[in-house]
Amino acid sequence: MVDASQPHDPYASLRIPEFRYFISNSFLITATLLIQEVILGYELYKMTHDPLALGLVGLAEALPFIALSLFGGHLADRRDKKRLLQWSLTVIILGSVILYAVFQPSVVRQLSQTAQLGVIYGVLMLIGTAKGFYSPASSSLKPFLVPRELYANSATWSSSAWQAGAIVGPGLAGFLYNWLGLDNTLIVVIGLLILCLLLISLIDRRPVPVSSAPQQNLRESLKEGFAFVFKTPIVLYAISLDLFSVLFGGVVAILPVFAEDILRVGAEGLGFLRAAPSVGAVLTLAVMTQFPPTHNAWRNMLLAVAGFGAATVVFALSTNFYLSLFMLGLTGAFDSVSVIIRQTILQIFPPDHLRGRVAAVNGIFVSSSNEIGAFESGVMARLFGTVPSVLVGGVFTMIVVSYVYLRSKNLFSIRLS
């Protein structure tokens, strides 16, 4: 048991075995799915030599995720969360097995390239469907693993695990692909996903929260989740800030343009640029285990998102590789602060019987900002030029922060820790 009289212990959440299993799984599944995404994207480009094939990878997963996430949240509030995670992981493993099979030479010889691509994108949609159930179940299970006074601490560690996976996965993907080849790397992916399933099995089942409200049908249930978000200002503003900052201020999707045409650092430089936000995030998250940002939470949230926008503006104007690298690191650092605060808000404010649906609404916002934001970045860069599009995105982010500041002054008095 954790001694609740020591709330400032930076390792308090990690002293709970089930939470350790949870974040180990979070790290592992993040890294593993990114390994699969990177090697699959590389192989698809070798097959098609069409950049659109790469864009469709994210879109194929995002569409079913967005479509089904709310229903996944509805189930997470009414069913055994552990069982949902196990079934979702089983479907993801099945998808990876099919991907392994479809790249076998005997299968490739029997399928046209169009048919092979159809199977691959179909499997990605299957994985996206499973993630639509996995994500809200995982998010809504986390608050049940630690006592309430450790929500901020657990949010820091869970974000650290996710960011670490986001760094390790892409870096390891290239090494595994070169060393083992596509087939054997997919076998490694399947093995790691099975390990994720074992980690989830070590977590005890939790009773389904009971609400005193009358039984609802699906439509009323989903409506209740949205209604809670929109009538709870701190939740609505926290989710909206993330949506607009990443939707308009994100630059990851068009980093190849900066690497090739603006900074002229080539593929190696692109690797450093892609890693910089995650490195900045991990370093900041390490600091935040000692100095949590939740004491003056709303002030810190607004400052972090404003800092993200300002760093994006400087990055857009920079022609120096090292300055650009540093600014991308800052975007990751500022984003990690806002993630910690948002996750803590999402653990504290929703009642137990609504956690899955609120997590699903948040998941839709996050997925929309990432996937649609990447599409928006490409379209804006195509229409208005790369630098102007990023510059406008950073300025727009700061305008949104200013608007939210004027509308949310009453939230400055709220304490999360």
Side-chain angles (χ1 to χ4, degrees):
M1 293 293 291
V2 175
D3 185 358
S5 67
Q6 298 178 343
H8 299 298
D9 177 5
Y11 306 104
S13 297
L14 296 183
R15 302 186 195 284
I16 302 174
E18 288 188 316
F19 183 73
R20 292 200 301 270
Y21 303 146
F22 180 86
I23 66 166
S24 297
N25 170 72
S26 177
F27 163 79
L28 201 56
I29 193 169
T30 300
T32 302
L33 291 179
L34 282 172
I35 290 171
Q36 182 166 271
E37 180 181 318
V38 170
I39 65 170
L40 190 59
Y42 185 71
E43 193 69 20
L44 285 174
Y45 190 72
K46 284 173 59 179
M47 288 172 57
T48 65
H49 299 285
D50 183 0
L52 181 60
L54 305 180
L56 291 175
V57 170
L59 194 61
E61 286 194 21
L63 289 179
F65 176 86
I66 292 172
L68 292 171
S69 189
L70 281 175
F71 181 59
H74 169 80
L75 287 183
D77 285 333
R78 284 162 170 74
R79 300 287 186 269
D80 179 4
K81 297 173 179 57
K82 175 181 175 179
R83 190 66 56 83
L84 284 172
L85 291 175
Q86 290 173 319
W87 278 109
S88 299
L89 272 170
T90 300
V91 172
I92 293 172
I93 292 169
L94 174 62
S96 297
V97 170
I98 296 173
L99 286 176
Y100 172 78
V102 83
F103 282 109
Q104 296 308 298
S106 59
V107 176
V108 172
R109 285 193 295 268
Q110 297 178 23
L111 295 177
S112 66
Q113 185 180 94
T114 301
Q116 189 179 12
L117 289 173
V119 173
I120 292 169
Y121 289 126
V123 169
L124 290 175
M125 294 186 73
L126 178 67
I127 292 174
T129 299
K131 289 168 71 175
F133 295 95
Y134 178 93
S135 181
S138 176
S139 297
S140 59
L141 174 63
K142 182 170 56 179
F144 292 93
L145 302 179
V146 297
R148 186 181 182 87
E149 63 270 15
L150 296 182
Y151 280 176
N153 181 261
S154 67
T156 301
W157 283 110
S158 60
S159 294
S160 298
W162 186 90
Q163 291 286 358
I167 292 174
V168 171
L172 196 57
F175 172 76
L176 289 173
Y177 187 92
N178 288 328
W179 184 39
L180 301 176
L182 175 68
D183 289 359
N184 290 328
T185 302
L186 286 172
I187 291 176
V188 171
V189 165
I190 294 167
L192 292 175
L193 289 172
I194 292 173
L195 182 55
C196 290
L197 193 59
L198 293 175
L199 286 169
I200 291 297
S201 71
L202 295 174
I203 298 174
D204 290 337
R205 296 175 63 180
R206 294 302 194 276
V208 178
V210 178
S211 172
S212 59
Q215 188 69 27
Q216 300 169 310
N217 59 36
L218 176 60
R219 181 178 178 181
E220 292 170 338
S221 172
L222 300 184
K223 184 178 178 181
E224 185 183 12
F226 269 107
F228 176 84
V229 170
F230 281 93
K231 74 180 182 182
T232 311
I234 193 169
V235 175
L236 176 62
Y237 287 138
I239 294 176
S240 299
L241 281 171
D242 177 76
L243 170 67
F244 287 108
S245 62
V246 177
L247 183 62
F248 294 101
V251 298
V252 171
I254 54 175
L255 282 180
V257 181
F258 279 91
E260 191 68 23
D261 299 332
I262 297 172
L263 301 173
R264 301 187 183 280
V265 292
E268 184 177 352
L270 174 61
F272 286 107
L273 293 172
R274 283 293 304 265
S278 292
V279 171
V282 168
L283 292 175
T284 304
L285 288 165
V287 173
M288 286 191 292
T289 61
Q290 303 289 336
F291 306 100
T294 51
H295 181 61
N296 294 300
W298 196 244
R299 180 203 67 184
N300 293 338
M301 180 81 169
L302 292 174
L303 288 175
V305 179
F308 180 92
T312 301
V313 168
V314 177
F315 172 79
L317 298 174
S318 171
T319 56
N320 180 278
F321 174 64
Y322 297 103
L323 176 60
S324 298
L325 207 62
F326 182 64
M327 288 300 112
L328 285 175
L330 283 183
T331 63
F334 286 124
D335 185 54
S336 66
V337 175
S338 68
V339 165
I340 294 297
I341 297 171
R342 188 176 73 255
Q343 285 196 5
T344 305
I345 289 170
L346 291 174
Q347 287 183 216
I348 289 176
F349 286 90
D352 287 346
H353 71 282
L354 275 174
R355 291 190 186 280
R357 281 163 286 175
V358 174
V361 173
N362 177 64
I364 289 174
F365 275 57
V366 171
S367 181
S368 297
S369 63
N370 288 331
E371 303 299 341
I372 299 176
F375 176 73
E376 180 272 341
S377 295
V379 171
M380 291 289 288
R382 179 72 177 272
L383 294 176
F384 304 107
T386 302
V387 171
S389 69
V390 176
L391 183 62
V392 169
V395 171
F396 186 79
T397 298
M398 290 189 285
I399 292 173
V400 169
V401 173
S402 301
Y403 173 78
V404 172
Y405 165 76
L406 295 174
R407 295 293 301 271
S408 64
K409 291 183 179 180
N410 59 315
L411 300 181
F412 280 82
S413 59
I414 293 177
R415 296 287 181 266
L416 302 183
S417 62

